[in-house]
Amino acid sequence: MSRLSPAPGRAPDYDAVVVGAGFGGLHMLRRLRSAGFRVRLFEAGGEVGGTWYWNRYPGARCDFESFDYSYGFDEALQQEWNWSERYPSQPEILQYLNHVADRFGLREDIVLSTRVTSAHYDSENHAWTVRTSPVDGAGEAAEVTARLVVMATGALSSPRLPDVPGIDTFEGLRLQTSTWPADGVDFSGKRVAVVGTGSSGVQVIPKIAAQADRLHVLQRTAGFVVPAHNRPLTAADRDAVKSDYRAYRDRALDAFLGIHFPLAGESAATADPVERTAAYEARWQQGGASILACYRDLLVDPAANESLAEFLRGKIAEIVHDGDVAKRLTPQGFPVGAKRLVVETDYYPTFNRPNVELVDLREEPLTQVNSTGVRVGDRQLDLDALVFATGFDALTGPLLSIDIQGADNRRLSEAWSDGPTTYLGLAVAGFPNLLTVAGPGSPSVLSNVVRCTEENVEWIGTLAEHLRADALTEVQATADAAQAWTEHVAETAEMTVLTSADSWYLGANVPGKPRVFMPYAGGVPEYRRRCAEVADRGYEGFILS
Ligand code: NA7
């Protein structure tokens, strides 16, 4: 086995440690291993799957389509796997990732139930010391050294609970969508409240409503919601894609979101209003996020965006019978897409059920959790179960929850005290040999994240081969390159409507978090072009030694 050559002193235990066994980490492990590197992957979950291991609440499903939300790096894999539905359910994605782990023999290098707690860089040996702790007594308390550390920790893996007084005093069943019990929950006969109406809340609410005796939906912000129109896939659907999957992937990589959606026209702002409404209606009937890609200017021109916002608002009153409820469900005050567009199944019709109540927290604030339920406004809701679908400390949270210390013992939390500064979303100045997959500064959550992880994984794999070929032991982004990229990320976001909402893209959901737009809004093709250009120019903006 060929190794990344050791620096003077002790050779590290591994060429690379990969953190996280989701889409990014599994692929990273496979890429580095197939290049002959010695790799160890640590995963906190009890199985592979990452996000799709933890978020196993009823109704959990990807909001991008199966054919897109899957690996393209191996033709045999994409040919042999048969997705059963248009949008993949959480159990099916988990099966898929387990299949990938088996198919490529990845398990022997994966340590499950093991959380990476710290990573400290040793500037003399050009290696990281990674420490782990067992989760639920099942994993390993290890200390290993590695030349490279690749953080594939996911964008949405640090769950958040609201800062409501008394949250620990509730004596009923307290649940979080992001850490759902593996053996499920029976809500029959129960009085339940769900806090949060983002993607997770919108997916779980109809499922709980169908079972529970009474469901209170505690909504702080009404978001824009479009129908999924999920359906089983037929053999003909699969054949249509698989007959030339390469071309399908290429089209996706050429598209802003990393998914090919045909344009209805160039500009919503200047389109004929009747034709524009017909175009939105067609997308609404088709289902999914493609409505956001109907016109090129929807995410950059507020007037164009407002035409779509108006269309989507109009749909709610058509579905929800009670006019007051429909009004409270109607998003106001921010553009479509500035908070992630939610893709639903049965969400709005759920509010026509007699056992469901919408509680608008802007009218009746959630002030307290107590032993028997919650206080909203001046009333008490007595509950048997309280479900939090209150989101994540996105993008930076998973990285900052690990004690990462780079050169000169500098902590990542200090380096990012004003928000994340990265080079290409791949590297951080002052943190040599540390790389991130779908991290802040990459398109990540603003794209089909699997296309982003594949781009990053391939790029990092090629970099590792380059280091080996030239007997190099250290790679680090320069402060200037990281600064310039981070400014570019900010300027690109400012050119869109995406910064005009209190979203988790901006860290606005976490009190005290610097308000910085974290994902790269320049689109997948431009991002890939820039990453390729940097590599082609001999890793411009990096110091290799
Ligand atoms: P999101 O999209 O962050 O949604 C969280 C929801 O929880 C959202 O409606 C929040 O309201 C609400 N929330 C958060 N904190 C509170 C408090 N303190 N009180 C009341 N309500 C609160 O997370 P999801 O898990 O639904 O989705 C995350 C991503 O996963 C999703 O975009 C897909 O990519 C998959 P707010 O809007 O902040 O007012």
Side-chain angles (χ1 to χ4, degrees):
M1 184 157 294
S2 54
R3 304 284 308 265
L4 278 173
S5 51
R10 189 160 74 94
D13 301 325
Y14 296 99
D15 294 316
V17 157
V18 176
V19 187
F23 269 94
L26 290 176
H27 185 194
M28 192 74 248
L29 171 58
R30 143 106 180 133
R31 175 66 179 81
L32 290 172
R33 251 184 33 172
S34 63
F37 293 114
R38 268 170 56 82
V39 191
R40 196 86 165 145
L41 185 153
F42 294 107
E43 163 58 53
E47 270 185 57
V48 303
T51 293
W52 301 102
Y53 169 77
W54 297 104
N55 288 267
R56 52 195 157 197
Y57 56 86
R61 193 177 285 284
C62 183
D63 51 9
F64 285 136
E65 298 191 28
S66 308
F67 292 130
D68 288 294
Y69 198 75
S70 49
Y71 291 122
F73 71 83
D74 188 275
E75 177 62 13
L77 170 66
Q78 61 187 8
Q79 287 298 333
E80 78 199 4
W81 185 262
N82 288 320
W83 292 107
S84 69
E85 294 177 273
R86 179 178 174 192
Y87 300 89
S89 68
Q90 175 269 332
E92 196 165 5
I93 301 173
L94 204 54
Q95 271 173 27
Y96 173 72
L97 291 174
N98 274 280
H99 170 73
V100 168
D102 291 332
R103 187 185 202 290
F104 298 108
L106 302 179
R107 292 189 195 276
E108 62 193 64
D109 294 319
I110 299 176
V111 188
L112 296 171
S113 302
T114 299
R115 186 175 293 285
V116 169
T117 53
S118 72
H120 293 178
Y121 191 64
D122 171 352
S123 296
E124 241 169 67
N125 283 312
H126 298 179
W128 287 89
T129 300
V130 175
R131 293 189 185 83
T132 70
S133 70
V135 177
D136 298 332
E140 281 183 14
E143 179 179 312
V144 300
T145 55
R147 175 75 66 227
L148 303 177
V149 168
V150 184
M151 293 292 178
T153 37
L156 298 163
S157 53
S158 286
R160 292 245 338 133
L161 278 174
D163 300 322
V164 187
I167 198 154
D168 292 323
T169 62
F170 181 59
E171 287 173 5
L173 185 60
R174 192 180 96 184
L175 297 157
Q176 269 180 280
T177 47
S178 48
T179 49
W180 202 259
D183 41 6
V185 181
D186 182 3
F187 291 103
S188 309
K190 291 196 162 57
R191 299 159 301 170
V192 187
V194 174
V195 187
T197 54
S199 300
S200 304
V202 164
Q203 289 185 335
V204 83
I205 283 162
K207 298 289 180 187
I208 297 177
Q211 249 190 8
D213 190 42
R214 180 117 196 98
L215 173 64
H216 308 274
V217 174
L218 275 51
Q219 169 192 275
R220 186 166 71 180
T221 308
F224 288 99
V225 179
V226 296
H229 295 315
N230 189 31
R231 61 176 175 81
L233 290 173
T234 63
D237 293 326
R238 289 191 282 265
D239 289 349
V241 173
K242 288 185 182 182
S243 61
D244 195 351
Y245 222 141
R246 190 63 263 156
Y248 187 90
R249 297 282 183 219
D250 287 346
R251 270 202 306 278
L253 289 170
D254 277 344
F256 184 87
L257 288 173
I259 294 189
H260 173 71
F261 294 129
L263 275 179
E266 282 296 314
S267 165
T270 59
D272 171 73
V274 175
E275 283 173 20
R276 185 177 62 199
T277 303
Y280 291 152
E281 183 62 32
R283 295 291 167 108
W284 176 275
Q285 295 305 335
Q286 195 184 329
S290 74
I291 203 162
L292 260 186
C294 218
Y295 295 97
R296 231 185 265 287
D297 55 358
L298 285 174
L299 290 181
V300 290
D301 178 343
N305 189 284
E306 180 55 24
S307 71
L308 176 58
E310 218 21 65
F311 173 84
L312 295 176
R313 288 187 201 113
K315 284 290 178 188
I316 301 164
E318 287 175 22
I319 307 168
V320 177
H321 302 158
D322 182 316
D324 285 339
V325 176
K327 203 168 153 205
R328 291 192 188 100
L329 287 169
T330 301
Q332 300 289 354
F334 59 92
V336 187
K339 282 164 103 79
R340 188 174 171 106
L341 183 66
V342 174
V343 179
E344 63 82 40
T345 298
D346 293 335
Y347 180 63
Y348 288 132
T350 293
F351 293 94
N352 295 332
R353 298 177 63 106
N355 66 331
V356 175
E357 184 207 14
L358 178 68
V359 180
D360 186 337
L361 297 179
R362 295 185 187 235
E363 293 167 10
E364 296 181 286
L366 173 61
T367 50
Q368 196 191 31
V369 179
N370 48 43
S371 61
T372 54
V374 294
R375 294 286 305 173
V376 288
D378 53 14
R379 61 186 171 129
Q380 166 81 12
L381 301 178
D382 284 331
L383 303 169
D384 302 303
L386 177 55
V387 178
F388 289 100
T390 40
F392 300 86
D393 182 352
L395 287 136
T396 50
L399 294 164
L400 294 176
S401 69
I402 300 171
D403 167 23
I404 299 176
Q405 294 185 28
D408 306 321
N409 304 324
R410 183 138 198 255
R411 288 175 196 278
L412 187 63
S413 53
E414 287 164 29
W416 282 4
S417 58
D418 294 331
T421 306
T422 73
Y423 187 33
L424 300 173
L426 284 162
V428 186
F431 295 79
N433 295 358
L434 178 77
L435 296 146
T436 51
V437 174
S442 78
S444 62
V445 290
L446 274 189
S447 69
N448 171 8
V449 75
V450 185
R451 295 287 76 76
C452 181
T453 62
E454 287 199 328
E455 165 66 30
N456 288 166
V457 161
E458 189 48 41
W459 195 95
I460 292 169
T462 305
L463 170 67
E465 287 167 335
H466 178 77
L467 295 176
R468 179 174 59 193
D470 287 5
L472 301 168
T473 54
E474 194 174 79
V475 53
Q476 59 174 320
T478 67
D480 285 350
Q483 190 55 36
W485 178 256
T486 303
E487 281 166 17
H488 173 63
V489 170
E491 283 160 9
T492 307
E494 285 303 332
M495 288 158 61
T496 71
V497 300
L498 296 170
T499 53
S500 320
D502 289 333
S503 72
W504 51 260
Y505 297 145
L506 272 167
N509 62 326
V510 179
K513 189 166 173 171
R515 208 179 160 100
V516 170
F517 196 85
M518 295 176 284
Y520 179 53
V524 169
E526 178 62 10
Y527 178 70
R528 294 181 72 232
R529 191 189 67 73
R530 285 176 179 256
C531 290
E533 190 176 81
V534 165
D536 290 347
R537 293 184 180 167
Y539 295 97
E540 188 177 50
F542 286 94
I543 299 167
L544 282 71
S545 54

